[in-house]
Amino acid sequence: MANIIVFAILAVVILASAVMCVTTKRIMRAATFLLFVLFGIAGIYFLLDYTFLGAAQLSVYAGGVTMIYIFAIQLVNKRTLQGLVERMKGSRVAFGALVTLIGLATVVVVFLKNQVVNRFAEMADTEVSMEAIGRSLVSSDKFGYVLPFEFISVFLLACIIGGIVISRKE
């Protein structure tokens, strides 16, 4: 029962922070709300006893990526940010809602076609060990994650180098 209560609290924090992240007009507040979303997701990993994934979520995403976002935000000129304030128009909101509904319908059709719910119900009885997750993360086999991890590290390095280049004055 306690796990359900903690999950409900984390879900409310994640959803509220995500909504505030995309609706706020101040970019630093958006980055802060994104940080709360990432902390909440790490909390769900810890709740599921996936301590490695929770620690990776905190260190890589909540720590590293958010700091890169804040670093990039600080590099942008204040005059540039002040000109980006935009009013929400009814037609844009309606178009966004329509695109969202089309995307949701597409996901539901794909889930139903591939019987994803039935597969998850069958897999609910099996438990994946931390050793299997660890081997999957560092293996270079067909379903290994070494190559995507290396691409992400090169991407983050390119972001840092790009931030340094942008920050240099001519």
Side-chain angles (χ1 to χ4, degrees):
M1 184 66 178
N3 286 345
I4 294 173
I5 294 171
V6 171
F7 175 78
I9 291 170
L10 287 172
V12 167
V13 167
I14 290 170
L15 290 175
S17 296
V19 168
M20 292 300 295
C21 180
V22 298
T23 58
T24 185
K25 292 182 180 179
R26 298 185 182 255
I27 196 160
M28 287 302 288
R29 287 184 185 169
T32 304
F33 286 125
L34 176 67
L35 183 64
F36 288 140
V37 169
L38 296 174
F39 278 147
I41 292 171
I44 288 179
Y45 285 144
F46 286 125
L47 186 66
L48 294 172
D49 288 333
Y50 289 136
T51 54
F52 175 76
L53 291 177
Q57 175 77 16
L58 286 177
S59 64
V60 174
Y61 291 108
V65 174
T66 305
M67 289 305 118
I68 289 174
Y69 287 155
I70 292 174
F71 180 66
I73 289 167
Q74 292 296 327
L75 290 175
V76 177
N77 192 356
K78 283 187 177 182
R79 288 185 208 152
T80 306
L81 289 177
Q82 288 172 353
L84 293 178
V85 176
E86 185 175 304
R87 302 280 182 229
M88 293 177 84
K89 297 179 180 177
S91 62
R92 286 186 136 187
V93 172
F95 179 71
L98 178 68
V99 170
T100 302
L101 289 175
I102 291 171
L104 179 64
T106 304
V107 169
V108 168
V109 166
V110 168
F111 272 23
L112 292 176
K113 180 182 176 201
N114 294 324
Q115 299 176 349
V116 173
V117 176
N118 293 339
R119 289 182 188 170
F120 280 136
E122 292 171 2
M123 291 174 46
D125 297 333
T126 62
E127 185 173 329
V128 179
S129 68
M130 287 303 292
E131 181 179 348
I133 293 173
R135 288 190 189 280
S136 176
L137 285 174
V138 296
S139 72
S140 60
D141 296 337
K142 182 178 181 181
F143 297 108
Y145 290 100
V146 169
L147 189 60
F149 179 76
E150 291 300 323
F151 280 141
I152 290 171
S153 65
V154 170
F155 174 71
L156 291 175
L157 179 64
C159 289
I160 292 171
I161 292 171
I164 292 170
V165 168
I166 290 171
S167 68
R168 289 184 47 195
K169 299 292 181 193
E170 292 289 329

